[in-house]
Amino acid sequence: VSVSVPMTLKRPMVWDTSHYEADAFYERSASDPPILVITKLTEDDYFIDATAGLHVEGARSIGAKVGVYHFLRYNDIQGQVDHFLENAELVGALQNGQWLFDVPPILDVEIEPTNSSDPQGTSFANQVKTWLDLVEAATSSKPWIYTSANYWKQTFDKNGNPPSWTSQY
């Protein structure tokens, strides 16, 4: 006989914040903070989330651990890496090649290939891996991948086989 015990989380484990949550109510969360706040820092090679610094400060003010992520778009991976690293320095995550935040750099991978000009399968997986490798080399910290399990299994190989290097992240 198995017994099911209901589990109640007293507080959220992780908040994902961005400009969509400009007011994340940090002051009201101080008594029951999340364990970790990850906030969007950059997207592609041009977008900077103007609320990232506020979210980092807000998370720290309630005692939560902090991380920042880059939302990956196709192509110009070097430009995206440079853009992320420059802005990581501005928010205090990176200094002299050392990653200073509580969790490693994070890569948000969730965009779907929608037309024939988008990188597909192995080509797209190679772009993801290139971003990961370049950021790891620049920060001395192995990045995390932020995605869904189903997306990860189905985007690179329609048979449900994720890239062979997946277990490294």
Side-chain angles (χ1 to χ4, degrees), residues 6 9 38 62 66 68 88 95 103 106-107 120 133 147 166 169:
L9 294 175
I38 59 171
I62 59 173
V66 177
V68 291
Q95 185 177 53
V103 299
I106 303 166
L107 181 61
Q120 307 281 327
D133 289 345
T147 192
T166 297
Y169 297 91

Side-chain angles (χ1 to χ4, degrees), residues 11-163:
R11 62 181 174 167
M13 304 285 282
V14 178
W15 284 359
D16 170 358
T17 61
S18 70
H19 58 285
Y20 295 113
E21 297 84 26
D23 182 0
F25 307 107
Y26 291 102
E27 69 283 349
R28 291 192 302 186
S29 302
S31 63
D32 196 22
I35 294 169
L36 171 65
V37 174
I38 59 171
T39 193
K40 182 177 188 176
L41 180 60
T42 54
E43 179 175 335
D44 207 337
D45 61 355
Y46 64 91
F47 180 81
I48 303 165
D49 193 316
T51 64
L54 296 173
H55 287 298
V56 168
E57 288 176 19
R60 293 226 187 274
S61 76
I62 59 173
K65 294 188 181 298
V66 177
V68 291
Y69 65 87
H70 174 76
F71 187 96
L72 187 71
R73 295 283 179 181
Y74 303 123
N75 304 320
D76 191 17
I77 300 305
Q78 183 66 61
Q80 292 187 62
V81 167
D82 293 343
H83 182 60
F84 175 75
L85 296 174
E86 288 167 14
N87 286 284
E89 287 181 359
L90 292 175
V91 296
L94 181 64
Q95 185 177 53
N96 298 321
Q98 289 302 117
W99 193 255
L100 303 176
F101 275 13
D102 301 307
V103 299
I106 303 166
L107 181 61
D108 185 355
V109 185
E110 60 183 273
I111 192 165
E112 292 283 342
T114 56
N115 60 55
S116 60
S117 65
D118 294 337
Q120 307 281 327
T122 303
S123 175
F124 182 42
N126 289 340
Q127 289 189 12
V128 171
K129 184 69 165 94
T130 297
W131 191 97
L132 296 166
D133 289 345
L134 290 171
V135 168
E136 182 175 358
T139 64
S140 302
S141 185
K142 186 173 275 304
W144 287 358
I145 299 170
Y146 177 34
T147 192
S148 73
N150 189 51
Y151 171 93
W152 197 254
K153 288 180 192 173
Q154 297 299 321
T155 299
F156 306 110
D157 178 325
K158 298 304 179 198
N159 296 315
N161 300 310

